[in-house]
Amino acid sequence: MKVRQHAAKLPDGTPPTGARLSGTRSGTTRPGTVRRTGLLLALGTACISGVAVFLNSYGVKAFGDATTYTTAKNVIAAVVLVALIGAMSARRPVAVLTRPSRRGQWAGLAVVGVFGGALAFVLFFEGLALASATDAAFLQKTLLVWVALLAVPLLGERLGALQVAAIALLVLGQIGLAGGTTTLFGRGQLMVLGATLLWAAEVIIAKKLLADLSSWTVGLTRMGVGSVVLVAWTLIRGEGATLTSLTGNQWMWVLVTGVILAGYVSTWFAALSRAPAVDVTAVLVIGAVLTALLAAVVNGKPLAPQLGWVALVLAGAALVAVPGWRSRVALAGPEGARAT
C-alpha cells in the first residue's frame, strides 16, 4: 500500500490552498463543493447506519454474547477495509494512506483505535444486553448533543440559532422514534451512555486528525487497532474458542454486518473530513428514521403514528444541511478536494 507524506503547510498549520483544493481536472475544486460532498457522504452514512442498527438487533441474538459478536464483525470490517485500501492503492497514482508525522497524531490514532474502535463497542453492546431497547436507543441518540457541546470550544465550530433549533428538532424526533426517554440509570444505561460519550470524544479527536491524515488512515486505525484490542479481550475472557467455532448462521451475520460496518466507517470519516462535525452528526440522525421504518415494516406495525416524529427529524436535518449546502466555506484537510 502506498503511504504519502504531508504537503507543506502555511504558518497557521493548514495545508496551502492548492494542496487542499486540488484534485479535479482543472486543478481546483470549488470550496462549496467540498462541504456538499461531505454532507452527501454523511447522508450515505446515515442510510448505512439505519440498516446496520436494524440488522444488529438480530445479529446479537444469533450469538448470545454481545462482546464476541462485536469482536467478530469488527474483525471482518477491518479485513474489508484492508482489501479496499489495497485495491485502491494498486489503481491510484496518489497514496491512500497518510503517515503520521507527529507524536500527537500517533497518540490520537491510538485513542481512536482503543477507545472508539474497541471500548465503546464493548460498552454499547454489553449495555444493550442489560438495558431496555428504548433506553439504549434514546441514550445513543444523544450523540449529536455531546458532539455539539464539544465541537464549539474544541473545534471552534459555531452554533447559530438555526442550528440550535435544528438540534432541538432532531432530539425530539429521536425521542419519539425511540419510544420515549429513560428515567432509570442502571448499569446497562450507564454503559450505553459511556459508549456514546466515548464516540462523541472520538469525533472531536478524529476531526483534528483529519486535518492532516486521510480518512482511510483514521478509519483503518479505528477498526484495525480496535479489532486487536477486542480479540485480546475475548481471549482474556476465555471466549477465544467461540470465535473459531462459529455456526453457519453466525458466520452469515458476521459477514453481513461486518461489510456494512466497513461501509459505515469509510463514508463516515470521509464525510467528517469535508464538513463540520456538528453538521455530519446531525445528518447521521436520519439513520434513526430508516431504522424505525424498517422495524415497522418487518414487524407489521402501522407507520402513521411515527410519521410526525419522522417529519421532525427530517426538518431538523434540513435546517442543518441546507445552509451547509449553500456555504462557500471549505475545510482545510487532505481530503478537501478529492473523493475517497
Side-chain angles (χ1 to χ4, degrees):
M1 298 180 188
K2 300 176 183 177
V3 179
R4 64 181 174 82
Q5 301 290 342
H6 301 302
K9 298 179 181 178
L10 299 176
D12 64 354
T14 61
T17 303
R20 69 176 182 265
L21 297 182
S22 63
T24 63
R25 292 181 180 179
S26 60
T28 59
T29 298
R30 291 178 181 272
T33 302
V34 177
R35 193 165 185 169
R36 291 167 194 163
T37 302
L39 293 174
L40 287 174
L41 284 165
L43 179 60
T45 306
C47 294
I48 295 172
S49 174
V51 175
V53 171
F54 176 74
L55 291 178
N56 278 321
S57 65
Y58 292 94
V60 171
K61 297 176 182 178
F63 269 74
D65 183 82
T67 300
T68 303
Y69 169 69
T70 194
T71 299
K73 71 181 179 62
N74 283 23
V75 169
I76 294 297
V79 171
V80 172
L81 287 177
V82 170
L84 287 173
I85 292 172
M88 289 189 297
S89 296
R91 303 179 68 177
R92 284 189 177 188
V94 179
V96 177
L97 297 179
T98 309
R99 189 189 306 277
S101 60
R102 300 189 300 273
R103 290 183 178 179
Q105 292 174 340
W106 286 107
L109 288 173
V111 170
V112 167
V114 175
F115 291 92
L119 182 57
F121 278 97
V122 171
L123 285 174
F124 180 78
F125 282 98
E126 290 291 344
L128 186 60
L130 298 174
S132 69
T134 299
D135 289 353
F138 168 71
L139 291 170
Q140 196 275 334
K141 295 300 187 299
T142 62
L143 177 67
L144 171 61
V145 176
W146 306 119
V147 170
L149 291 175
L150 292 173
V152 172
L154 299 179
L155 297 177
E157 295 188 9
R158 298 179 180 179
L159 286 182
L162 193 64
Q163 285 181 304
V164 173
I167 291 174
L169 289 176
L170 288 166
V171 172
L172 288 175
Q174 290 178 94
I175 292 174
L177 290 175
T181 62
T182 177
T183 56
L184 174 64
F185 275 83
R187 182 184 176 189
Q189 287 84 351
L190 289 175
M191 292 176 78
V192 172
L193 179 59
T196 303
L197 292 175
L198 285 178
W199 277 322
E202 180 198 36
V203 170
I204 304 303
I205 295 172
K207 184 66 177 174
K208 288 181 174 292
L209 291 172
L210 290 167
D212 295 304
L213 305 178
S214 72
S215 61
W216 291 104
T217 301
V218 179
L220 181 60
T221 300
R222 185 207 205 204
M223 301 315 302
V225 174
S227 294
V228 171
V229 174
L230 285 172
V231 169
W233 177 243
T234 300
L235 294 176
I236 291 173
R237 294 172 66 234
E239 299 291 338
T242 306
L243 288 176
T244 59
S245 58
L246 301 182
T247 65
N249 186 51
Q250 289 175 327
W251 269 116
M252 180 194 72
W253 283 110
V254 165
L255 291 174
V256 170
T257 57
V259 170
I260 291 175
L261 178 57
Y264 174 91
V265 171
S266 58
T267 55
W268 168 247
F269 287 115
L272 193 59
S273 70
R274 292 168 168 83
V278 174
D279 287 9
V280 296
T281 307
V283 174
L284 185 64
V285 175
I286 296 175
V289 173
L290 183 55
T291 300
L293 294 178
L294 286 172
V297 171
V298 172
N299 296 326
K301 295 181 179 180
L303 296 175
Q306 294 185 315
L307 292 181
W309 303 117
V310 169
L312 283 181
V313 171
L314 295 179
L319 284 179
V320 171
V322 171
W325 188 268
R326 295 177 177 176
S327 175
R328 294 172 178 261
V329 180
L331 301 179
E335 307 283 349
R338 56 186 179 84
T340 58

